[in-house]
Amino acid sequence: MSAYAASRKAITTSPMVATAVYVGLVSALLFVTVTSIAGVLDQRSQVAASSAMLELLEGRRPAAAGGSSGNVTMPAGSAYLEGATVTVAGATLLQRVSEAVAKFGGNVLSTQLDLQGTPSKTGFLSMIASCEIEQPQLQQLLYDLEAGMPFLFIDQLVVQTPTAASGPGSGKLRILLTVSGQWRGAK
């Protein structure tokens, strides 16, 4: 019998070696099982979080008052302009912008609604508003429009400072504001 055959016979017939191999294989199988279960549980929690965010964005569920995750909470309401027709949705856009300007002490001088939209922005309604507002309230107005519901986007902002000819006490900025929002269409 050769030295190789003798050492092989000693390894394969030794109960200590067989036990060590068995424990190693069971440990490896247990590790693979535990990591697989942990991966599945992690994916389930990610799917649940994504589903909750989708419900918030589609307006099916109001935002939680406290916010369990500690993140910034979503404002309540639908992310889209509401309205059965494009005209009603356009009126909603005009109303939202006018209310925001008035909320911060400004005046809406004129508005123009674009219901057609450009081919690159299909499904979006836009409007142009000429307003007067105090300088400190301008940032608050822009934040209110972009952070509130429905989601609105400031496409263009042109600011004209008051001139000396406009008289004393007339410190309001004249702004030309182009705002757009998405309308899903008739349901």
Side-chain angles (χ1 to χ4, degrees), residues 86 113-128 155 178-182:
V86 69
L113 186 61
D114 181 18
L115 299 177
Q116 301 298 326
T118 62
S120 64
K121 293 184 90 176
T122 304
F124 281 83
L125 305 177
S126 36
M127 67 164 290
I128 300 171
D155 297 325
T178 305
V179 180
S180 63
Q182 189 171 13

Side-chain angles (χ1 to χ4, degrees), residues 26-181:
V26 169
S27 298
L29 180 63
L30 185 62
F31 174 76
V32 169
T33 304
V34 168
T35 56
S36 297
I37 290 172
V40 168
L41 293 176
D42 184 47
Q43 284 181 345
R44 285 188 64 185
S45 67
Q46 288 177 1
V47 167
S50 296
S51 296
M53 180 60 74
L54 180 62
E55 286 178 1
L56 280 175
L57 290 174
E58 289 182 345
R60 288 188 275 175
R61 183 178 59 138
S68 60
S69 64
N71 295 337
V72 176
T73 59
M74 296 286 299
S78 174
Y80 300 98
L81 291 170
E82 297 292 326
T85 65
V86 69
T87 309
V88 174
T92 303
L93 175 62
L94 287 172
Q95 182 180 11
R96 170 76 172 91
V97 172
S98 297
E99 286 175 354
V101 170
K103 177 179 173 182
F104 296 105
N107 301 320
V108 177
L109 303 174
S110 66
T111 59
Q112 178 182 343
L113 186 61
D114 181 18
L115 299 177
Q116 301 298 326
T118 62
S120 64
K121 293 184 90 176
T122 304
F124 281 83
L125 305 177
S126 36
M127 67 164 290
I128 300 171
S130 176
C131 309
E132 286 183 334
I133 193 165
E134 295 287 337
Q135 183 176 355
Q137 280 72 36
L138 178 60
Q139 182 179 2
Q140 294 172 344
L141 169 68
L142 297 176
Y143 179 79
D144 184 63
L145 288 173
E146 286 197 330
M149 287 290 188
F151 287 145
L152 299 179
F153 305 98
I154 307 295
D155 297 325
Q156 184 177 15
L157 173 66
V158 178
V159 179
Q160 181 182 8
T161 58
T163 62
S166 58
S170 177
K172 289 190 174 185
L173 300 173
R174 280 206 168 191
I175 61 171
L176 188 64
L177 189 64
T178 305
V179 180
S180 63

